[in-house]
Amino acid sequence: MEIFIRIGYIVMIAAIVLCFYFSRKQQHGLREAVDRFAFAYVKISNHVSARPPAAELAVERGEGDAVRPLPLGVQPEAIRTVIERASGGKVVKLYDEMMDAMLEIENRCGRHRRMNSQFREPIAALFHKARTFLTASEHLENIRTAADKQAFDSFLRDQGDDRMVLLRRITGGAGEQFSGLSKHYDLAAREAAEREKKRPARGR
């Protein structure tokens, strides 16, 4: 009887080890998909506006949550510039790469609640911002609500925060290249500031 108990423990331990191994392997594959998303996302941002523009999309407010962008010709110069730079084959190719990576992230996360919370949901929020910005750059009338305007402006204004979201989810091997693409945003200083915020306050 004792030998069967020992065999049961061995099988249980082996199952736990295998589960841990496949979980780590699955997460590594997921982070590699995030690498591809992150590089495309950052390259689009760097191409259209290496630094946040000193202006927001100009709109007219309608009833409730509705907004209507002003014509391109009367938009602030900084906004006209980023919209013009958003057109072209380079951005289209990067958007396709980003979308393919997003689909792989969704597929790898499946119905796994923790993976969805840690990876799919924050990455999907960034994808939504980039997509809103790019579709509006193609046709300004695609901005119809205050939330659309906020997403458009946030893609240009909040890249420092967005890149920190990505930095925490890419593979370790992608860190140096990612930081090189984000040289204007001083991610190391942001990381240090975040760690300081999380550190428990010392009693006096």
Side-chain angles (χ1 to χ4, degrees), residues 60-74:
E60 291 179 346
R61 302 286 176 175
E63 293 185 5
D65 194 41
V67 300
R68 185 172 67 85
L70 299 183
L72 183 62
V74 295

Side-chain angles (χ1 to χ4, degrees), residues 49-97:
S49 181
R51 298 176 186 273
E56 292 186 352
L57 183 70
V59 300
E60 291 179 346
R61 302 286 176 175
E63 293 185 5
D65 194 41
V67 300
R68 185 172 67 85
L70 299 183
L72 183 62
V74 295
Q75 288 289 335
E77 183 180 356
I79 296 300
R80 293 201 306 272
T81 298
V82 298
I83 286 175
E84 288 165 4
R85 291 186 65 80
S87 62
K90 179 176 181 177
V91 171
V92 171
K93 183 176 182 295
L94 289 169
Y95 176 79
D96 288 343
E97 292 175 9

Side-chain angles (χ1 to χ4, degrees), residues 14-54:
I16 291 171
V17 170
L18 283 172
C19 183
F20 177 77
Y21 169 77
F22 284 115
S23 176
R24 289 291 298 271
K25 189 174 181 180
Q26 179 188 23
Q27 188 171 120
H28 183 73
L30 182 54
R31 288 184 183 275
E32 287 181 330
V34 175
D35 289 352
R36 292 192 291 277
F37 178 95
F39 289 138
Y41 187 91
V42 168
K43 286 176 181 178
I44 291 172
S45 170
N46 285 355
H47 178 72
V48 300
S49 181
R51 298 176 186 273

